[in-house]
Amino acid sequence: MKFQPNKNGYYGQFGGAFIPELLYPNVKELEDNYLTILESVAFQTEYKDLLQHYVGRPSPLYLAKRLSEKYGATIYLKREDLNHTGAHKVNNTIGQILVAKHLGKTKIIAETGAGQHGVATATVCALMNLECTVFMGEVDIKRQAPNVARMKMLGAKVVAATSGSKTLKDATNEAIRYWIQNPETYYLIGSVVGPHPYPDMVARLQAVISKEMKAQLKMQTGNENPDTIIACVGGGSNAAGAFYHYLENENVELIAVEAAGLGVHSGESAATSQLGEVGVIHGSKTILMQDEYGQIVEPYSISAGLDYPGVGPLHAFLHETKRAKFMNATDKEALKAAYELTKIEGIIPALESAHALAVLPKIKFKKDQVVVVNLSGRGDKDLETYINHLEK
Amino acid sequence: MKSLKNIFQEKENLLSIFFTAGYPNLNDTTTIISELANNNVDFIEVGLPYSDPLADGPTIQDSSQVALQNGMNLDIVFEQLKAIKETNSKPLVLMGYLNQLLKYGEDKFCQACLESGIETLILPDLPMVEYENHYQQLFKKYGLTNVFLITPHTSEERIRKIDALTEAFIYVVASASITGAKGDISNSQITYFERIKTMNLKSDLIIGFGISNNETFKTACQFANGAIIGSAFIKELSKNGVSEIDNFIQSIR
């Protein structure tokens, strides 16, 4: 099991738990209990029941015929956009809220970039009657207004992160600082980032995506293995879920797509694998964008969900070992891909997911190549951006 | 320069001051150190400004941001410290985040510390397990010592382990908190300090986080070898620059 973390939470040289002593008891409690909880019958029963009846899983695996025709391959879309709350994020929040309940926690905190994780967290907190505080960068609060309104309607308190670049990285810093000062809270991290055991726990909870994919492909094509899986990567949770059950099968090509912003080398980008170097961010050793003195560089992407200067340690390892191919898409390319999918398939994708679609024109497919694009979220939250960039 | 060990042997009620290098101005580092030394501060913590200081409250965060805007970086701070290595009489402790050491290069960083007269490091995001697996060896090679933090939530078993690994002093974090002055010391904090004191640890103890004035300093000294003042000093610098350092220190003692 080459792509599973070791007992200290390392994937090769990446991972670990680089946390201040103040957080040690919290993280240790989670580390000691997460596997037992996740594997317990009680957890599994409730998790599966909620995923089916509350989230609406399994999400469809849809053969996108017109998209396939256009790119000369057999392209399926894994429809995470059809989940309750509009993205894959809820798979994780349902799981972690049950973990939090098993640990006896009553107060939940979370960080959010695009607001999808914030909404998914506020949703499960409403469902479970738990107090919810979401940290969100001031910049993101402005560009993702509908999600802010949703969180508030769901009863969550939204706290603006006003330090640094005022985006996802800073929201995460503020959540961690709050956690240090309120150790009785449960920190519900939204991606495969943070100290061990979060990257592994979140990957396991998102793994339902590739588990379903296997069964659906088997039924629809006779073969549970596709040739290629494409997913966008910010922190990397939807990609981790879409790749999970295929990680050890190297016949399946994995493509991770990062946000290149205005261009990889424009100085306005979030393409961590291309620009980053080994370092520590948010408690994890991984690849991150930093200057020559180790100061973390502020990333940029039109997509708030991909606007993160690191990647999860699993992805750093997939990049280093070349198990996954890392590609990227600019703001423009993502917008174009979003419009294309909308026009030919009638699906408005999230800006994040549009980055995954945007590499289709860059790949030379073999005839009959089976490709799954993980459509991680829907585009409702991005309508304002789409309208502003409406093709003239 | 006296070593930290000597200071702990010779004196009680040690006062340590933390400041962010490059704040309020890029070249204030040496002035601040000599002012603190002249006013009998016992040892000095030099903070490396960092873009994402997870363990720090708003005051130190802001000072870090200003210092970085002033152009402060590791090369400059090491140069500034080298320049006063021969004249400075007080032990220096460097406080930064692990990523700064990683990116600078582990050996290069340690070598630069040595050449700059630094003998002790505080890296709040360096956990014990990583220290034991790797950094203990590295620091030893350069004669550097490492400071661990303990908090009200650190278990007795873990405190004993930290005590065994400690060569400098144990940093007793006064409350479950990020850095920043909070005013008084509560009864529950006193209970926690008493608990640590009665453990009879072999290591020297310094209390920090939330120590801001004469009263809190005196209280902390009843339970430890001394205390560290950080955010309150940064606030003083932002109000009066480097001109009133003597008054500030006298108000603490």
Side-chain angles (χ1 to χ4, degrees), chain A residues 10 17-22 24-25 163-164 169 173-174 176-177 180-181 183 277 279-280 285 288 290-296, chain B residues 49-54 56 61 68 73-75 98-100 102-103 124-125 127 130 149 151 153-154 158 173 176-178:
Chain A
Y10 277 92
F18 293 86
I19 42 165
E21 184 63 31
L22 302 132
Y24 180 83
S163 59
K169 131 182 126 67
N173 288 342
E174 288 309 323
I176 292 175
R177 289 188 186 115
I180 287 173
Q181 296 177 89
E277 290 168 284
V280 168
K285 192 181 226 184
L288 63 117
Q290 54 185 317
D291 73 6
E292 61 178 311
Y293 295 104
Q295 307 290 348
I296 296 172
Chain B
Y50 188 53
S51 57
D52 294 74
L54 279 183
D56 286 306
Q61 280 177 47
L68 291 173
N73 63 44
L74 279 172
D75 286 324
L98 186 61
N99 199 48
Q100 297 175 289
L102 283 176
K103 188 62 180 72
D125 58 347
E130 301 290 340
L149 280 63
T151 84
H153 300 289
T154 309
R158 198 167 161 84
V173 176
S177 176
I178 50 179

Short mmCIF file of all heavy atoms in Angstrom, two decimals, chain A residues 10 17-22 24-25 163-164 169 173-174 176-177 180-181 183 277 279-280 285 288 290-296, chain B residues 49-54 56 61 68 73-75 98-100 102-103 124-125 127 130 149 151 153-154 158 173 176-178:
data_model
loop_
_atom_site.label_atom_id
_atom_site.label_comp_id
_atom_site.label_asym_id
_atom_site.label_seq_id
_atom_site.Cartn_x
_atom_site.Cartn_y
_atom_site.Cartn_z
N TYR A 10 2.94 10.06 7.37
CA TYR A 10 3.80 10.44 6.26
C TYR A 10 3.51 9.64 4.99
O TYR A 10 3.41 8.42 5.03
CB TYR A 10 5.28 10.25 6.62
CG TYR A 10 5.84 11.42 7.39
CD1 TYR A 10 5.83 11.44 8.78
CD2 TYR A 10 6.38 12.49 6.72
CE1 TYR A 10 6.34 12.52 9.48
CE2 TYR A 10 6.91 13.57 7.41
CZ TYR A 10 6.89 13.58 8.79
OH TYR A 10 7.40 14.65 9.47
N ALA A 17 2.74 15.91 11.52
CA ALA A 17 1.86 16.81 12.29
C ALA A 17 2.72 17.89 12.94
O ALA A 17 3.17 17.74 14.08
CB ALA A 17 1.07 16.03 13.34
N PHE A 18 2.98 18.95 12.20
CA PHE A 18 3.83 20.05 12.69
C PHE A 18 2.96 21.09 13.38
O PHE A 18 2.63 22.12 12.80
CB PHE A 18 4.63 20.64 11.54
CG PHE A 18 5.64 19.69 10.98
CD1 PHE A 18 5.28 18.77 10.01
CD2 PHE A 18 6.94 19.66 11.46
CE1 PHE A 18 6.19 17.85 9.51
CE2 PHE A 18 7.86 18.75 10.98
CZ PHE A 18 7.49 17.84 10.00
N ILE A 19 2.59 20.76 14.60
CA ILE A 19 1.64 21.61 15.31
C ILE A 19 2.26 22.14 16.59
O ILE A 19 3.08 21.48 17.22
CB ILE A 19 0.37 20.82 15.68
CG1 ILE A 19 0.77 19.43 16.20
CG2 ILE A 19 -0.57 20.72 14.49
CD1 ILE A 19 -0.33 18.72 16.91
N PRO A 20 1.85 23.36 16.98
CA PRO A 20 2.28 23.86 18.27
C PRO A 20 1.80 22.92 19.38
O PRO A 20 0.75 22.27 19.24
CB PRO A 20 1.59 25.22 18.39
CG PRO A 20 1.18 25.60 17.02
CD PRO A 20 0.98 24.33 16.27
N GLU A 21 2.56 22.86 20.46
CA GLU A 21 2.21 21.99 21.60
C GLU A 21 0.77 22.22 22.06
O GLU A 21 0.10 21.31 22.53
CB GLU A 21 3.20 22.26 22.75
CG GLU A 21 3.03 21.37 23.97
CD GLU A 21 3.26 19.89 23.68
OE1 GLU A 21 4.08 19.57 22.80
OE2 GLU A 21 2.61 19.07 24.34
N LEU A 22 0.31 23.47 21.89
CA LEU A 22 -1.04 23.82 22.32
C LEU A 22 -2.11 22.96 21.65
O LEU A 22 -3.18 22.75 22.20
CB LEU A 22 -1.30 25.29 21.96
CG LEU A 22 -0.29 26.24 22.59
CD1 LEU A 22 0.28 27.24 21.60
CD2 LEU A 22 -0.91 26.95 23.75
N TYR A 24 -1.50 19.81 20.55
CA TYR A 24 -1.16 18.39 20.63
C TYR A 24 -2.29 17.52 21.20
O TYR A 24 -2.63 16.50 20.59
CB TYR A 24 0.15 18.21 21.43
CG TYR A 24 0.53 16.76 21.55
CD1 TYR A 24 1.23 16.12 20.53
CD2 TYR A 24 0.18 16.01 22.68
CE1 TYR A 24 1.55 14.78 20.62
CE2 TYR A 24 0.51 14.68 22.78
CZ TYR A 24 1.19 14.07 21.75
OH TYR A 24 1.51 12.74 21.84
N PRO A 25 -2.90 17.91 22.33
CA PRO A 25 -3.94 17.02 22.88
C PRO A 25 -5.12 16.81 21.91
O PRO A 25 -5.61 15.69 21.79
CB PRO A 25 -4.41 17.75 24.15
CG PRO A 25 -3.31 18.69 24.50
CD PRO A 25 -2.68 19.09 23.20
N SER A 163 -6.28 38.92 8.05
CA SER A 163 -4.82 38.94 8.00
C SER A 163 -4.35 38.48 6.62
O SER A 163 -5.09 37.84 5.88
CB SER A 163 -4.25 38.04 9.10
OG SER A 163 -4.71 36.72 8.95
N GLY A 164 -3.10 38.78 6.30
CA GLY A 164 -2.44 38.30 5.07
C GLY A 164 -3.21 38.62 3.81
O GLY A 164 -3.68 39.74 3.61
N LYS A 169 -5.89 30.58 2.86
CA LYS A 169 -4.77 30.31 3.77
C LYS A 169 -4.94 31.07 5.08
O LYS A 169 -4.66 30.54 6.15
CB LYS A 169 -3.46 30.65 3.06
CG LYS A 169 -2.47 31.52 3.81
CD LYS A 169 -1.25 31.83 2.99
CE LYS A 169 -0.94 33.30 2.86
NZ LYS A 169 -0.54 33.99 4.07
N ASN A 173 -5.44 29.89 8.94
CA ASN A 173 -4.66 30.39 10.08
C ASN A 173 -5.57 30.81 11.23
O ASN A 173 -5.31 30.49 12.39
CB ASN A 173 -3.82 31.62 9.67
CG ASN A 173 -2.66 31.25 8.77
OD1 ASN A 173 -2.26 30.08 8.70
ND2 ASN A 173 -2.13 32.22 8.06
N GLU A 174 -6.62 31.57 10.89
CA GLU A 174 -7.52 32.07 11.94
C GLU A 174 -8.26 30.92 12.62
O GLU A 174 -8.47 30.95 13.84
CB GLU A 174 -8.52 33.08 11.36
CG GLU A 174 -7.92 34.42 10.97
CD GLU A 174 -7.09 35.05 12.08
OE1 GLU A 174 -7.44 34.93 13.27
OE2 GLU A 174 -6.05 35.66 11.76
N ILE A 176 -7.14 27.90 13.02
CA ILE A 176 -6.17 27.22 13.89
C ILE A 176 -5.93 28.04 15.16
O ILE A 176 -5.89 27.51 16.26
CB ILE A 176 -4.84 26.94 13.14
CG1 ILE A 176 -5.09 25.89 12.04
CG2 ILE A 176 -3.76 26.46 14.10
CD1 ILE A 176 -3.90 25.60 11.15
N ARG A 177 -5.83 29.37 15.01
CA ARG A 177 -5.63 30.22 16.20
C ARG A 177 -6.82 30.12 17.14
O ARG A 177 -6.66 30.06 18.36
CB ARG A 177 -5.39 31.68 15.77
CG ARG A 177 -4.05 31.89 15.12
CD ARG A 177 -3.77 33.37 14.88
NE ARG A 177 -2.52 33.52 14.14
CZ ARG A 177 -2.43 34.02 12.91
NH1 ARG A 177 -3.52 34.44 12.28
NH2 ARG A 177 -1.26 34.10 12.31
N ILE A 180 -6.62 26.85 19.00
CA ILE A 180 -5.64 26.89 20.09
C ILE A 180 -6.29 27.49 21.34
O ILE A 180 -6.10 27.01 22.46
CB ILE A 180 -4.40 27.73 19.68
CG1 ILE A 180 -3.55 26.96 18.67
CG2 ILE A 180 -3.56 28.11 20.90
CD1 ILE A 180 -2.39 27.76 18.08
N GLN A 181 -7.09 28.53 21.12
CA GLN A 181 -7.68 29.23 22.27
C GLN A 181 -8.95 28.58 22.78
O GLN A 181 -9.42 28.90 23.86
CB GLN A 181 -7.98 30.69 21.88
CG GLN A 181 -6.72 31.46 21.55
CD GLN A 181 -7.03 32.86 21.09
OE1 GLN A 181 -7.12 33.77 21.89
NE2 GLN A 181 -7.17 33.04 19.80
N PRO A 183 -9.76 24.89 22.92
CA PRO A 183 -9.41 23.49 22.63
C PRO A 183 -10.58 22.52 22.75
O PRO A 183 -10.47 21.37 22.35
CB PRO A 183 -8.29 23.17 23.63
CG PRO A 183 -8.35 24.21 24.66
CD PRO A 183 -9.01 25.42 24.07
N GLU A 277 7.96 24.55 -3.30
CA GLU A 277 9.07 23.74 -2.82
C GLU A 277 8.67 23.15 -1.48
O GLU A 277 7.70 23.61 -0.86
CB GLU A 277 10.31 24.61 -2.65
CG GLU A 277 10.89 25.06 -3.96
CD GLU A 277 11.92 26.15 -3.76
OE1 GLU A 277 11.52 27.30 -3.51
OE2 GLU A 277 13.11 25.85 -3.83
N GLY A 279 8.10 22.35 2.23
CA GLY A 279 8.02 23.21 3.40
C GLY A 279 6.88 22.77 4.30
O GLY A 279 6.28 21.71 4.07
N VAL A 280 6.61 23.57 5.31
CA VAL A 280 5.55 23.23 6.27
C VAL A 280 4.47 24.31 6.22
O VAL A 280 4.77 25.50 6.35
CB VAL A 280 6.11 23.12 7.69
CG1 VAL A 280 4.99 23.05 8.72
CG2 VAL A 280 7.00 21.88 7.82
N LYS A 285 3.95 18.81 6.28
CA LYS A 285 5.08 19.01 5.38
C LYS A 285 4.61 18.64 3.98
O LYS A 285 4.11 17.54 3.75
CB LYS A 285 6.24 18.10 5.80
CG LYS A 285 7.56 18.44 5.12
CD LYS A 285 8.64 17.49 5.58
CE LYS A 285 9.90 18.24 5.92
NZ LYS A 285 10.98 17.29 6.28
N LEU A 288 4.86 23.81 -1.10
CA LEU A 288 4.12 25.06 -0.97
C LEU A 288 4.84 26.20 -1.68
O LEU A 288 6.04 26.14 -1.91
CB LEU A 288 3.87 25.40 0.49
CG LEU A 288 5.08 25.66 1.36
CD1 LEU A 288 5.07 27.08 1.89
CD2 LEU A 288 5.05 24.71 2.53
N GLN A 290 6.50 29.58 -1.78
CA GLN A 290 7.19 30.38 -0.76
C GLN A 290 8.35 31.13 -1.41
O GLN A 290 8.80 30.77 -2.49
CB GLN A 290 7.70 29.44 0.34
CG GLN A 290 8.56 28.28 -0.17
CD GLN A 290 8.96 27.30 0.92
OE1 GLN A 290 9.33 27.70 2.00
NE2 GLN A 290 8.90 26.01 0.62
N ASP A 291 8.82 32.15 -0.70
CA ASP A 291 9.96 32.89 -1.24
C ASP A 291 11.26 32.27 -0.71
O ASP A 291 11.24 31.24 -0.03
CB ASP A 291 9.84 34.39 -0.93
CG ASP A 291 10.11 34.73 0.54
OD1 ASP A 291 10.50 33.82 1.33
OD2 ASP A 291 9.93 35.90 0.91
N GLU A 292 12.39 32.89 -1.03
CA GLU A 292 13.69 32.29 -0.68
C GLU A 292 13.92 32.20 0.83
O GLU A 292 14.82 31.51 1.27
CB GLU A 292 14.83 33.05 -1.36
CG GLU A 292 14.90 34.51 -0.93
CD GLU A 292 16.07 35.25 -1.55
OE1 GLU A 292 17.21 34.74 -1.49
OE2 GLU A 292 15.84 36.34 -2.09
N TYR A 293 13.12 32.93 1.61
CA TYR A 293 13.27 32.89 3.07
C TYR A 293 12.17 32.07 3.75
O TYR A 293 12.01 32.13 4.97
CB TYR A 293 13.31 34.30 3.64
CG TYR A 293 14.52 35.07 3.17
CD1 TYR A 293 14.40 36.06 2.19
CD2 TYR A 293 15.79 34.78 3.67
CE1 TYR A 293 15.52 36.74 1.73
CE2 TYR A 293 16.91 35.46 3.21
CZ TYR A 293 16.77 36.44 2.26
OH TYR A 293 17.88 37.10 1.80
N GLY A 294 11.39 31.35 2.95
CA GLY A 294 10.35 30.52 3.55
C GLY A 294 9.07 31.26 3.92
O GLY A 294 8.22 30.72 4.62
N GLN A 295 8.96 32.51 3.47
CA GLN A 295 7.70 33.23 3.68
C GLN A 295 6.70 32.71 2.65
O GLN A 295 7.03 32.55 1.48
CB GLN A 295 7.89 34.74 3.50
CG GLN A 295 9.01 35.34 4.33
CD GLN A 295 8.71 35.38 5.83
OE1 GLN A 295 7.58 35.17 6.25
NE2 GLN A 295 9.72 35.63 6.64
N ILE A 296 5.49 32.44 3.11
CA ILE A 296 4.50 31.85 2.22
C ILE A 296 3.97 32.91 1.25
O ILE A 296 3.64 34.03 1.63
CB ILE A 296 3.37 31.19 3.03
CG1 ILE A 296 3.98 30.02 3.83
CG2 ILE A 296 2.26 30.69 2.11
CD1 ILE A 296 3.05 29.37 4.82
N PRO B 49 10.34 37.55 11.88
CA PRO B 49 9.00 37.80 11.35
C PRO B 49 8.62 36.74 10.33
O PRO B 49 9.44 36.35 9.49
CB PRO B 49 9.13 39.18 10.70
CG PRO B 49 10.58 39.39 10.46
CD PRO B 49 11.30 38.61 11.52
N TYR B 50 7.37 36.27 10.44
CA TYR B 50 6.92 35.21 9.54
C TYR B 50 5.56 35.56 8.95
O TYR B 50 4.73 36.19 9.62
CB TYR B 50 6.85 33.88 10.32
CG TYR B 50 6.58 32.69 9.44
CD1 TYR B 50 7.37 32.45 8.32
CD2 TYR B 50 5.52 31.81 9.70
CE1 TYR B 50 7.13 31.37 7.49
CE2 TYR B 50 5.26 30.72 8.88
CZ TYR B 50 6.08 30.51 7.77
OH TYR B 50 5.83 29.44 6.95
N SER B 51 5.36 35.11 7.73
CA SER B 51 4.11 35.45 7.02
C SER B 51 2.88 34.80 7.66
O SER B 51 1.79 35.35 7.60
CB SER B 51 4.20 35.00 5.55
OG SER B 51 4.48 33.61 5.47
N ASP B 52 3.06 33.63 8.26
CA ASP B 52 1.91 32.88 8.78
C ASP B 52 2.16 32.38 10.19
O ASP B 52 2.22 31.16 10.42
CB ASP B 52 1.59 31.71 7.83
CG ASP B 52 1.13 32.21 6.48
OD1 ASP B 52 1.98 32.69 5.71
OD2 ASP B 52 -0.08 32.13 6.20
N PRO B 53 2.30 33.31 11.16
CA PRO B 53 2.65 32.91 12.52
C PRO B 53 1.46 32.35 13.31
O PRO B 53 0.76 33.08 13.99
CB PRO B 53 3.16 34.22 13.14
CG PRO B 53 2.44 35.31 12.40
CD PRO B 53 2.13 34.77 11.03
N LEU B 54 1.27 31.03 13.20
CA LEU B 54 0.09 30.37 13.76
C LEU B 54 -0.10 30.52 15.25
O LEU B 54 -1.22 30.53 15.75
CB LEU B 54 0.18 28.87 13.45
CG LEU B 54 -0.24 28.44 12.07
CD1 LEU B 54 -0.17 26.94 11.95
CD2 LEU B 54 -1.65 28.94 11.78
N ASP B 56 0.81 33.03 17.09
CA ASP B 56 0.86 34.42 17.56
C ASP B 56 -0.46 35.15 17.43
O ASP B 56 -1.20 34.98 16.46
CB ASP B 56 1.94 35.18 16.80
CG ASP B 56 3.32 34.77 17.27
OD1 ASP B 56 3.56 34.84 18.48
OD2 ASP B 56 4.14 34.37 16.43
N GLN B 61 1.53 39.34 15.19
CA GLN B 61 1.23 39.22 13.75
C GLN B 61 1.47 40.54 13.03
O GLN B 61 2.12 40.59 12.00
CB GLN B 61 -0.25 38.87 13.54
CG GLN B 61 -0.63 37.44 13.73
CD GLN B 61 -2.14 37.28 13.54
OE1 GLN B 61 -2.72 37.79 12.58
NE2 GLN B 61 -2.79 36.61 14.46
N LEU B 68 8.29 42.56 7.81
CA LEU B 68 8.49 42.01 6.46
C LEU B 68 8.37 43.11 5.41
O LEU B 68 9.15 43.16 4.46
CB LEU B 68 7.48 40.89 6.18
CG LEU B 68 7.68 39.60 6.99
CD1 LEU B 68 6.53 38.62 6.76
CD2 LEU B 68 9.01 38.94 6.64
N ASN B 73 14.69 40.11 6.53
CA ASN B 73 14.80 38.69 6.18
C ASN B 73 15.91 38.05 6.99
O ASN B 73 16.60 38.72 7.76
CB ASN B 73 15.02 38.51 4.66
CG ASN B 73 16.32 39.12 4.19
OD1 ASN B 73 17.36 38.96 4.83
ND2 ASN B 73 16.27 39.83 3.07
N LEU B 74 16.08 36.74 6.83
CA LEU B 74 17.04 36.01 7.66
C LEU B 74 18.48 36.49 7.47
O LEU B 74 19.24 36.59 8.43
CB LEU B 74 16.94 34.51 7.36
CG LEU B 74 15.80 33.77 8.07
CD1 LEU B 74 15.68 32.35 7.55
CD2 LEU B 74 16.06 33.75 9.57
N ASP B 75 18.84 36.77 6.21
CA ASP B 75 20.21 37.23 5.96
C ASP B 75 20.50 38.52 6.72
O ASP B 75 21.55 38.66 7.34
CB ASP B 75 20.43 37.47 4.46
CG ASP B 75 20.55 36.17 3.70
OD1 ASP B 75 21.12 35.21 4.27
OD2 ASP B 75 20.07 36.09 2.56
N LEU B 98 9.27 26.75 11.82
CA LEU B 98 10.09 25.70 11.22
C LEU B 98 10.35 25.92 9.73
O LEU B 98 11.44 25.63 9.23
CB LEU B 98 9.42 24.34 11.45
CG LEU B 98 10.23 23.12 11.01
CD1 LEU B 98 11.54 23.02 11.77
CD2 LEU B 98 9.42 21.85 11.21
N ASN B 99 9.34 26.42 9.02
CA ASN B 99 9.52 26.58 7.57
C ASN B 99 10.67 27.52 7.22
O ASN B 99 11.30 27.37 6.19
CB ASN B 99 8.22 27.06 6.91
CG ASN B 99 8.23 26.80 5.43
OD1 ASN B 99 8.55 25.69 5.00
ND2 ASN B 99 7.92 27.80 4.64
N GLN B 100 10.94 28.48 8.10
CA GLN B 100 12.03 29.41 7.84
C GLN B 100 13.38 28.68 7.87
O GLN B 100 14.25 28.91 7.04
CB GLN B 100 12.00 30.54 8.87
CG GLN B 100 10.73 31.37 8.76
CD GLN B 100 10.62 32.41 9.85
OE1 GLN B 100 10.40 32.07 11.01
NE2 GLN B 100 10.77 33.67 9.50
N LEU B 102 13.72 25.38 7.41
CA LEU B 102 13.73 24.42 6.30
C LEU B 102 14.17 25.07 5.01
O LEU B 102 15.01 24.55 4.28
CB LEU B 102 12.32 23.83 6.10
CG LEU B 102 11.85 22.77 7.09
CD1 LEU B 102 10.40 22.39 6.80
CD2 LEU B 102 12.74 21.55 7.02
N LYS B 103 13.59 26.23 4.71
CA LYS B 103 13.86 26.85 3.43
C LYS B 103 15.26 27.44 3.36
O LYS B 103 15.92 27.39 2.33
CB LYS B 103 12.82 27.95 3.15
CG LYS B 103 12.88 28.54 1.76
CD LYS B 103 12.58 27.45 0.72
CE LYS B 103 12.62 27.99 -0.70
NZ LYS B 103 13.96 28.29 -1.17
N PRO B 124 7.89 27.09 17.62
CA PRO B 124 6.64 26.59 18.21
C PRO B 124 5.97 25.48 17.40
O PRO B 124 5.20 24.70 17.95
CB PRO B 124 5.73 27.82 18.29
CG PRO B 124 6.41 28.90 17.55
CD PRO B 124 7.85 28.54 17.38
N ASP B 125 6.28 25.39 16.09
CA ASP B 125 5.64 24.31 15.33
C ASP B 125 6.57 23.13 15.08
O ASP B 125 6.33 22.31 14.18
CB ASP B 125 5.04 24.84 14.01
CG ASP B 125 6.07 25.52 13.11
OD1 ASP B 125 7.18 25.83 13.59
OD2 ASP B 125 5.74 25.77 11.94
N PRO B 127 7.34 19.80 16.58
CA PRO B 127 6.85 18.90 17.63
C PRO B 127 7.93 17.98 18.17
O PRO B 127 8.96 17.76 17.52
CB PRO B 127 5.76 18.10 16.91
CG PRO B 127 6.03 18.22 15.47
CD PRO B 127 6.92 19.40 15.25
N GLU B 130 9.31 15.03 15.99
CA GLU B 130 10.22 15.42 14.91
C GLU B 130 11.58 15.80 15.48
O GLU B 130 12.62 15.54 14.89
CB GLU B 130 9.64 16.60 14.11
CG GLU B 130 8.29 16.33 13.46
CD GLU B 130 8.37 15.34 12.30
OE1 GLU B 130 9.46 15.15 11.75
OE2 GLU B 130 7.31 14.75 11.97
N LEU B 149 7.56 23.96 24.52
CA LEU B 149 6.47 24.65 25.22
C LEU B 149 5.60 23.61 25.93
O LEU B 149 5.41 22.51 25.42
CB LEU B 149 5.60 25.42 24.21
CG LEU B 149 6.12 26.78 23.73
CD1 LEU B 149 7.41 26.65 22.96
CD2 LEU B 149 5.09 27.48 22.87
N THR B 151 1.67 23.49 28.04
CA THR B 151 0.45 24.28 28.21
C THR B 151 -0.40 23.65 29.32
O THR B 151 -0.08 22.56 29.79
CB THR B 151 -0.39 24.28 26.92
OG1 THR B 151 -1.21 23.10 26.89
CG2 THR B 151 0.49 24.29 25.69
N HIS B 153 -2.86 22.06 29.07
CA HIS B 153 -3.42 20.79 28.61
C HIS B 153 -2.37 19.71 28.36
O HIS B 153 -2.70 18.61 27.93
CB HIS B 153 -4.24 21.02 27.34
CG HIS B 153 -5.38 21.98 27.54
ND1 HIS B 153 -6.49 21.65 28.28
CD2 HIS B 153 -5.54 23.27 27.16
CE1 HIS B 153 -7.31 22.68 28.32
NE2 HIS B 153 -6.75 23.68 27.67
N THR B 154 -1.10 20.04 28.60
CA THR B 154 -0.06 19.03 28.39
C THR B 154 -0.10 18.03 29.55
O THR B 154 -0.10 18.42 30.71
CB THR B 154 1.33 19.70 28.33
OG1 THR B 154 1.27 20.78 27.38
CG2 THR B 154 2.40 18.72 27.89
N ARG B 158 3.75 13.65 29.37
CA ARG B 158 4.42 14.38 28.29
C ARG B 158 5.35 15.45 28.87
O ARG B 158 6.43 15.70 28.34
CB ARG B 158 3.35 14.98 27.39
CG ARG B 158 3.86 15.38 26.04
CD ARG B 158 2.72 15.67 25.08
NE ARG B 158 3.18 16.47 23.96
CZ ARG B 158 3.75 15.98 22.87
NH1 ARG B 158 3.94 14.69 22.75
NH2 ARG B 158 4.16 16.78 21.90
N VAL B 173 3.62 27.92 28.83
CA VAL B 173 2.60 28.79 28.24
C VAL B 173 1.50 28.99 29.26
O VAL B 173 0.91 28.03 29.76
CB VAL B 173 2.06 28.18 26.93
CG1 VAL B 173 0.94 29.04 26.36
CG2 VAL B 173 3.18 28.03 25.92
N ALA B 176 -4.23 28.41 27.62
CA ALA B 176 -4.49 27.83 26.31
C ALA B 176 -4.75 28.98 25.36
O ALA B 176 -5.87 29.44 25.22
CB ALA B 176 -5.69 26.90 26.36
N SER B 177 -3.70 29.46 24.75
CA SER B 177 -3.86 30.72 24.04
C SER B 177 -2.75 30.95 23.03
O SER B 177 -1.70 30.33 23.10
CB SER B 177 -3.84 31.85 25.07
OG SER B 177 -3.91 33.09 24.43
N ILE B 178 -3.01 31.86 22.11
CA ILE B 178 -1.95 32.39 21.28
C ILE B 178 -1.31 33.54 22.06
O ILE B 178 -1.78 33.90 23.13
CB ILE B 178 -2.50 32.86 19.91
CG1 ILE B 178 -3.72 33.75 20.10
CG2 ILE B 178 -2.86 31.65 19.07
CD1 ILE B 178 -4.32 34.28 18.82
#
